[in-house]
Amino acid sequence: MKKHQDNSPAGLPISVRWAAIIGLVIAAALAFAYAGGWLTPARLTPAKIVDSLAPAGGAIKGYRRNHAKGICFAGSFEANGEAVAISRAPLFKVGTYPVTGRFNLAGPIPTMSDGTGRVRGLSLRIQAPDGQEWRTAMINPPFFPVATPADFYALQRANANKQDPAPAKQFAASHPALRAFGAWASTAPYAESYAQDRFNSLNSFVFTNAQGHDQVARWSFIPTTAMVAVPPEDLKKRDPDFLFQDITERTAAAPQKWKLVLTLANPGDPSADPTQVWPDDRRQIDAGMLVVTRIVPEADGPCRDINFDPTVLPKGIRTSDDPFPAARSAAYALSYDRRTAESEHYPRIQSEGKP
Ligand code: HEM
């Protein structure tokens, strides 16, 4: 009788092929377990970071897990061509490019009072005609309170129990940047309008021009409206949505403008640490003007479904050795996944000017 022939392409016995298949399944399961952090409980995962942002009662469903309160806008970026010297990104060539953006307040609670928002944010998506995009989410402090994503998580944990201030005190004792941030937070004026706030990338990126030259840079959007500070004793008396009402009214009356300034690092300037401010004398390039023309309430507005992921960059800008953008990208994606799976809790339209 003829013996059974193994006709597999590899000519391997069936037991070996089964072992290979089972091995692959186990490897895939282990890869998922690793990605989920089950094999390495001490490893920092996006889920741990995002969970740590939640308020005591749990995350507010349907909303961003941080910077939950916001208002959307439409406008444009008017490039003057100056930044072409350091970047071949198409949206730096002289021209006008559409922008969708969002003014926001740091914190996980969408109903927070504007007067209590110490950290204010500006998120932008600038679109080039060829489909490339530059997404950036900036804040108004001049530097970040922590130097690494691991410290960001450690700080969240230290602040978790409001009844016990000891861990936060301990953290501050060993982290001078957090103490410096505390000094900024307790002394910097609260502008009466987003139109008067300066928004900073804080993270460093690498800009590459048409000749292939790399330049590390940070950027800021600088207001063209003079700062008027709200007296600290008035902050709590203001309407909980005063910033949102203000920007809605101002924009209805006239376009609101911020100048984009790129700050170029000198060799050796710290690019991996957003707690470190570069010296004042660094070369700057005035790259153009952000023009906000129309405010759109958050509910059902175009921002709801945008993830302002700071690693979505056009060719000519890329991430640097700064560890934050990658960590932020992973956390924003998870926050996005969670909130878009909770559509029944999405913000509802209340009234004009309200989030
Ligand atoms: C490891 C550090 C950080 C973590 C874990 C983190 C986490 C988050 C998360 C989860 C969101 C909500 C994203 C969404 O659902 O779309 C968010 C939004 C935001 N973050 Fe961060 N963040 C970090 C650092 C920063 C830094 C360094 C800045 C600015 C320099 C920043 C500015 C913003 C702004 C402006 C928003 C609002 C974005 C929007 O309008 O959708 N964050 N952050």
Side-chain angles (χ1 to χ4, degrees), residues 49-50 53 63-68 70 101-105 119-124 136-139 144 146 148-150 152-153 200-203 274 298 303-304 306-309 323-324 327-328 331-337 339:
I49 288 205
V50 172
L53 295 166
Y63 287 82
R64 286 166 165 83
R65 287 344 193 212
N66 198 4
H67 298 254
R102 185 170 174 266
F103 297 108
N104 50 75
L105 297 174
V119 173
R120 298 177 183 174
L122 170 67
S123 321
L124 301 177
T136 170
M138 298 154 284
I139 49 178
F144 208 56
V146 287
T148 63
F152 182 90
Y153 177 65
N200 308 302
S201 74
L202 304 186
N203 295 134
E298 183 90 322
C303 289
R304 195 192 64 197
I306 300 180
N307 170 359
F308 291 97
D309 176 342
F324 276 94
R328 292 174 62 188
Y332 293 23
L334 183 62
S335 169
Y336 182 87
D337 282 352
R339 62 188 170 85

Side-chain angles (χ1 to χ4, degrees), residues 256-345:
Q256 300 299 305
K257 297 182 180 179
W258 291 253
K259 191 165 80 170
L260 170 59
V261 172
L262 310 174
T263 302
L264 316 194
N266 275 4
D269 281 345
S271 51
D273 181 352
T275 67
Q276 304 282 315
V277 177
W278 297 340
D280 277 348
D281 65 354
R282 295 301 181 252
R283 201 183 133 207
Q284 296 197 317
I285 295 179
D286 169 357
M289 196 69 86
L290 167 68
V291 184
V292 172
T293 49
R294 194 162 53 86
I295 298 293
V296 191
E298 183 90 322
D300 298 327
C303 289
R304 195 192 64 197
D305 297 339
I306 300 180
N307 170 359
F308 291 97
D309 176 342
T311 64
V312 175
L313 300 163
K315 288 192 185 92
I317 311 178
R318 66 175 197 276
T319 52
S320 68
D321 58 353
D322 186 328
F324 276 94
R328 292 174 62 188
S329 178
Y332 293 23
L334 183 62
S335 169
Y336 182 87
D337 282 352
R338 289 183 178 175
R339 62 188 170 85
T340 52
E342 301 160 348
S343 54
E344 69 278 20
H345 298 283

Side-chain angles (χ1 to χ4, degrees), residues 87-112:
S87 173
R88 63 191 169 102
L91 35 75
F92 287 136
K93 291 189 184 136
V94 175
T96 299
Y97 306 97
V99 171
T100 307
R102 185 170 174 266
F103 297 108
N104 50 75
L105 297 174
I109 301 178
T111 50
M112 70 187 281

